[in-house]
Amino acid sequence: MKNEANQYIEKYRALAAKSSKQPILHFTPSLGWMNDPNGLIFFKGEYHLFYQYHPYQTKWHQMYWGHAVSSDLITWQELPIALAPSEEYENSPDGGCFSGTALEHEGTLYLFYTAVAKNAAGQLIQKQCVAMSEDGRHFSKYENNPIIHIDHLGKENPHFRDPKVWQKGSTFYMLVGVSQDNVGKLLMYRSENLLDWTAMGVAFEEPNAWMLECPDFYELDGKEVLTFSPVGIKGEYSTYLIGHMDYEKGQFQLESRGILDYGVDFYAPQTFLTPEGERYVIGWQNGWEWMDEWNGFGELTENSWCGAMSIPRKIKLKDNRLQSVLPNKVSTLKAAKTIIYDTQTDGYQKPVSTIQEPTIIELSLGSGIAPIKLMFKDKRSESEDTFIIDEQLHYYSTGNPLGRKTLTMPLSNRSKTLKILLDLYAIEVFDEEEGTVLSVNSFFKGTLNRDFSFSCSGKERLKQVVVTELSAKQLIKK
């Protein structure tokens, strides 16, 4: 099945590329459906991005692991499928190879994933599996898969997925999301060899969510961070916890918590380390809330692809809060830059430019509370995206056939620099001082041809606007 899928992609990739209007900065598959990022890792001199993938349709169906590599986190090269649902324990139309993680050990790359298939009673059951690679290109599934058949209560479970594996000392640990009695929990396991696992119990549970998807765990600046996407908490799609993991008890002790992204289009975030020791995060640039509507949306479906990843974000810890910033790798790309010095508009909407390429808009904020209004108007449909900056950042959308109509991100009196990244339908707003982000998709007519204007009535409130149009030639995917 893996070879069949790769042959299908090669056959139709060129046809899709001829008509496809895809984002430049944000990774997308050339063909098919994509959702969660999986197994992000730097291995043998390359960044590896694996992702949930269905090559045959532009909607969610039987899951594969797609695969791409990059040397700079900006340009990505698609590789053949890494994992395909080829075995009995994962080969169901509504199952397959679900999300997981990657780990390097003694020169071998391990991919841990959830296999989903029907049991004897006809129920879709989730189990944990592993595959290995010596070169980061060719993967072999462990002959004794699944490595974990049942949850810690000894039950087959239809919601038992997304293993996160890491090493502490000479021992390996795994977190797996599970739903039990309609409560989302993270189960913890331990192993000495990555293949034989012992249950330790519940590391964390969230009574307000019925499932905790795609957990990630790592150390950062002397603290330990646990993230997941909670299913069932309204308005919260990517949660982080800061605290301490008690490895003897197998329990995470919470100190503080927050939200990784205040938008609706950032889901299942996963992190990885650079060779320099910096940590970056990538999320799926969408969410499940209106996935069914998206299946039939205009040019995305017509062009044979659907789904994108967020821009890789650098993360850091400050005042027991997790912060995300736009990396310099993006800000310093070759560009044609326009600096708008005259920010005095007397409250009238001031046309600035027509945005046609991936663009960064940087706002320098001054004193006062006078609201700032930014507007992006689709030149074909007259639809509008509007941002109002006062004591908070407010997002409004009119005429956008899909996506969220209103969103809010908190600001503080320390907020002095806001950066807005636009790339086809993806909009990401970064508060550089607070390290907060708001991500939203705005589909309009599937182009980036938009008129940008702004207004502000306070003379000291908006100090400078910088519009940086990035060079598309530098960013074209390989």
Side-chain angles (χ1 to χ4, degrees):
M1 186 175 293
K2 179 177 178 180
N3 289 335
E4 292 174 1
N6 285 322
Q7 290 168 6
Y8 178 87
I9 293 168
E10 289 303 316
K11 180 177 179 180
Y12 291 103
R13 187 199 307 268
L15 181 63
K18 287 181 181 179
S19 60
S20 184
K21 184 72 175 179
Q22 292 183 312
I24 300 297
L25 276 172
H26 296 72
F27 174 76
T28 62
S30 59
L31 189 72
W33 164 275
M34 176 179 71
N35 55 280
D36 306 348
N38 301 150
L40 279 64
I41 193 169
F42 188 82
F43 179 72
K44 292 191 180 300
E46 296 176 304
Y47 295 101
H48 290 256
L49 167 65
F50 301 93
Y51 50 91
Q52 290 288 271
Y53 186 47
H54 183 71
Y56 296 109
Q57 296 171 283
T58 54
K59 61 182 180 181
W60 190 96
H61 202 51
Q62 189 181 50
M63 283 286 97
Y64 296 66
W65 273 39
H67 189 192
V69 293
S70 175
S71 60
D72 59 7
L73 296 176
I74 301 297
T75 54
W76 293 89
Q77 177 188 3
E78 281 188 85
L79 295 179
I81 286 171
L83 298 177
S86 58
E87 307 302 319
E88 182 179 357
Y89 51 77
E90 61 199 10
N91 193 10
S92 290
D94 292 328
C97 303
F98 278 23
S99 294
T101 188
L103 177 76
E104 179 183 2
H105 180 59
E106 296 181 347
T108 298
L109 181 60
Y110 291 77
L111 300 186
F112 294 88
Y113 67 100
T114 297
V116 185
K118 289 183 178 180
N119 63 5
Q123 300 170 305
L124 280 174
I125 298 300
Q126 302 183 351
K127 304 177 180 181
Q128 313 319 313
C129 295
V130 65
M132 288 84 85
S133 174
E134 300 299 324
D135 61 1
R137 293 293 195 275
H138 305 90
F139 295 87
S140 299
K141 294 173 184 175
Y142 179 45
E143 60 183 5
N144 291 323
N145 275 339
I147 53 176
I148 303 178
H149 293 256
I150 53 179
D151 67 23
H152 78 305
L153 297 179
K155 299 179 180 179
E156 288 189 325
N157 199 314
H159 298 290
F160 177 46
R161 58 182 176 268
D162 310 338
K164 167 63 185 181
V165 180
W166 73 97
Q167 184 175 5
K168 181 73 172 179
S170 59
T171 303
F172 301 96
Y173 296 89
M174 178 191 294
L175 290 175
V176 185
V178 66
S179 183
Q180 291 177 341
D181 301 321
N182 211 37
V183 174
K185 303 178 182 181
L186 295 177
L187 306 183
M188 193 161 174
Y189 299 79
R190 63 183 295 164
S191 173
E192 304 303 322
N193 62 6
L194 290 172
L195 301 175
D196 302 299
W197 294 87
T198 301
M200 299 180 69
V202 178
F204 183 80
E205 65 180 72
E206 173 51 72
N208 296 315
W210 67 265
M211 182 66 187
L212 305 182
E213 294 195 313
C214 301
D216 193 9
F217 180 82
Y218 50 90
E219 296 183 10
L220 184 65
D221 298 334
K223 295 283 188 176
E224 290 170 318
V225 181
L226 174 61
T227 70
F228 48 79
S229 287
V231 183
I233 300 181
K234 185 175 178 59
E236 192 167 325
Y237 304 97
S238 53
T239 301
Y240 72 81
L241 311 178
I242 298 173
H244 172 70
M245 181 65 78
D246 186 329
Y247 284 94
E248 293 299 319
K249 297 180 179 180
Q251 297 176 351
F252 185 80
Q253 299 172 348
L254 176 65
E255 296 180 7
S256 63
R257 66 182 294 162
I259 297 174
L260 269 170
D261 194 295
Y262 285 87
V264 291
D265 293 307
F266 185 79
Y267 196 84
Q270 298 292 300
T271 65
F272 57 96
L273 280 174
T274 68
E276 296 76 29
E278 295 179 326
R279 189 165 289 274
Y280 281 73
V281 63
I282 294 177
W284 176 36
Q285 192 75 15
N286 194 35
W288 292 112
E289 201 167 76
W290 44 273
M291 183 189 76
D292 288 341
E293 295 177 86
W294 196 13
N295 286 345
F297 180 75
E299 296 189 26
L300 292 182
T301 299
E302 292 166 6
N303 286 325
S304 302
W305 65 274
C306 199
M309 292 301 172
S310 73
I311 198 73
R313 305 168 182 179
K314 182 179 177 181
I315 57 175
K316 56 186 179 180
L317 197 61
K318 184 178 181 181
D319 299 328
N320 236 27
R321 292 174 53 246
L322 204 60
Q323 298 186 325
S324 303
V325 296
L326 186 65
N328 290 333
K329 292 174 181 292
V330 177
S331 299
T332 58
L333 286 168
K334 183 179 179 182
K337 181 179 292 186
T338 304
I339 301 178
I340 314 299
Y341 290 100
D342 182 10
T343 59
Q344 305 310 310
T345 67
D346 297 323
Y348 293 98
Q349 203 67 24
K350 178 178 180 178
V352 178
S353 63
T354 296
I355 295 173
Q356 296 178 303
E357 301 287 350
T359 297
I360 298 174
I361 298 172
E362 183 173 337
L363 307 176
S364 298
L365 308 181
S367 59
I369 58 173
I372 301 168
K373 181 179 181 181
L374 312 174
M375 184 178 291
F376 302 92
K377 178 179 287 189
D378 188 295
K379 294 177 70 67
R380 293 189 292 175
S381 69
E382 299 300 310
S383 300
E384 295 176 347
D385 281 319
T386 302
F387 291 93
I388 304 293
I389 302 167
D390 46 35
E391 294 179 348
Q392 300 185 91
L393 174 73
H394 307 272
Y395 167 81
Y396 305 95
S397 176
T398 62
N400 187 5
L402 294 176
R404 189 57 61 89
K405 308 303 181 187
T406 60
L407 292 169
T408 302
M409 182 173 77
L411 300 174
S412 78
N413 55 14
R414 296 189 298 268
S415 300
K416 301 299 181 185
T417 305
L418 296 181
K419 291 182 179 179
I420 303 174
L421 178 66
L422 298 100
D423 184 17
L424 190 57
Y425 61 79
I427 305 176
E428 293 162 279
V429 185
F430 294 81
D431 183 335
E432 291 290 280
E433 279 73 31
E434 292 298 296
T436 52
V437 191
L438 183 150
S439 298
V440 64
N441 291 333
S442 178
F443 289 88
F444 291 169
K445 294 294 184 179
T447 70
L448 195 56
N449 193 16
R450 303 182 185 185
D451 287 333
F452 169 51
S453 62
F454 68 89
S455 68
C456 183
S457 58
K459 292 185 177 181
E460 303 300 324
R461 177 61 170 149
L462 184 57
K463 298 170 65 176
Q464 184 172 267
V465 178
V466 179
V467 179
T468 303
E469 189 172 280
L470 303 176
S471 172
K473 291 182 179 180
Q474 182 181 348
L475 302 172
I476 295 297
K477 301 179 184 70
K478 300 175 182 177

